Amino acid sequence: MVEKRVSIKLLGEAKEDYLKLQEIVRQEREKGVTSSFHQTLLRSIESKIALLKSNYDYGTQIPKKLVPSKYLQEYDVTNLWKVDLSGYWRMIYTLKQPQREQTEVDILLIWLDVLDIVDHKKYDKIFGYRKK
């Protein structure tokens, strides 16, 4: 039986946005705020990350012909996936499998790189969707 290990890393803007969101939530909690959009979004991101650790292809795969040049140029992606978050936000990620070493025959390593955490408006802009 092959053991799967999934390593999740937030890159670029996704990492910056996630850290900012954590700080906003920390400040809200210090002020006694127990429920807010920011807290809901952070919980949503963290629950999806936990889900992706056990089921890395949980999200919706984006067809190769629809992958925006932004991700091709910045990250040299060969696949792109999205996960819906609360409040119509999206988390965009790619899957990578590093070269296997002889000693890792029974371990399948998967790298999951989160590339963006965006609201619906920014998502539509990145993917070239327009309002009707």
Side-chain angles (χ1 to χ4, degrees):
M1 186 165 164
V2 176
E3 178 188 342
K4 290 186 224 172
R5 289 190 190 162
V6 179
S7 173
I8 298 180
K9 189 176 3 170
L10 280 83
L11 303 178
E13 287 181 37
K15 183 177 182 178
E16 291 172 22
D17 292 342
Y18 181 73
L19 293 173
K20 284 179 195 173
L21 184 59
Q22 283 183 317
E23 178 60 20
I24 290 168
V25 168
R26 185 190 65 72
Q27 290 175 2
E28 286 180 347
R29 289 182 179 152
E30 282 180 357
K31 294 177 182 175
V33 177
T34 58
S35 180
S36 72
F37 167 75
H38 298 108
Q39 292 173 26
T40 301
L41 180 58
L42 183 60
R43 276 192 307 275
S44 180
I45 292 167
E46 290 173 345
S47 71
K48 296 300 181 175
I49 287 174
L51 181 60
L52 289 168
K53 282 185 179 182
S54 62
N55 185 8
Y56 58 86
D57 60 354
Y58 162 79
T60 303
Q61 187 168 20
I62 296 169
K64 289 184 191 244
K65 66 182 181 180
L66 299 179
V67 173
S69 60
K70 165 187 174 157
Y71 300 115
L72 295 171
Q73 293 168 359
E74 288 182 37
Y75 300 104
D76 195 28
V77 300
T78 57
N79 61 76
L80 201 62
W81 299 71
K82 75 168 181 150
V83 172
D84 294 337
L85 302 170
S86 63
Y88 298 105
W89 282 62
R90 307 282 187 266
M91 187 164 61
I92 309 299
Y93 67 98
T94 187
L95 298 173
K96 297 179 182 177
Q97 188 173 356
Q99 294 292 336
R100 275 196 205 193
E101 296 179 15
Q102 290 291 338
T103 59
E104 295 181 310
V105 174
D106 294 331
I107 300 173
L108 175 62
L109 294 175
I110 302 292
W111 291 340
L112 188 153
D113 292 339
V114 177
L115 308 177
D116 258 329
I117 300 170
V118 296
D119 63 18
H120 202 284
K121 186 176 178 181
K122 188 172 180 183
Y123 175 84
D124 285 351
K125 184 177 179 183
I126 290 170
F127 283 86
Y129 300 135
R130 296 183 190 164
K131 287 186 176 180
K132 292 183 178 185

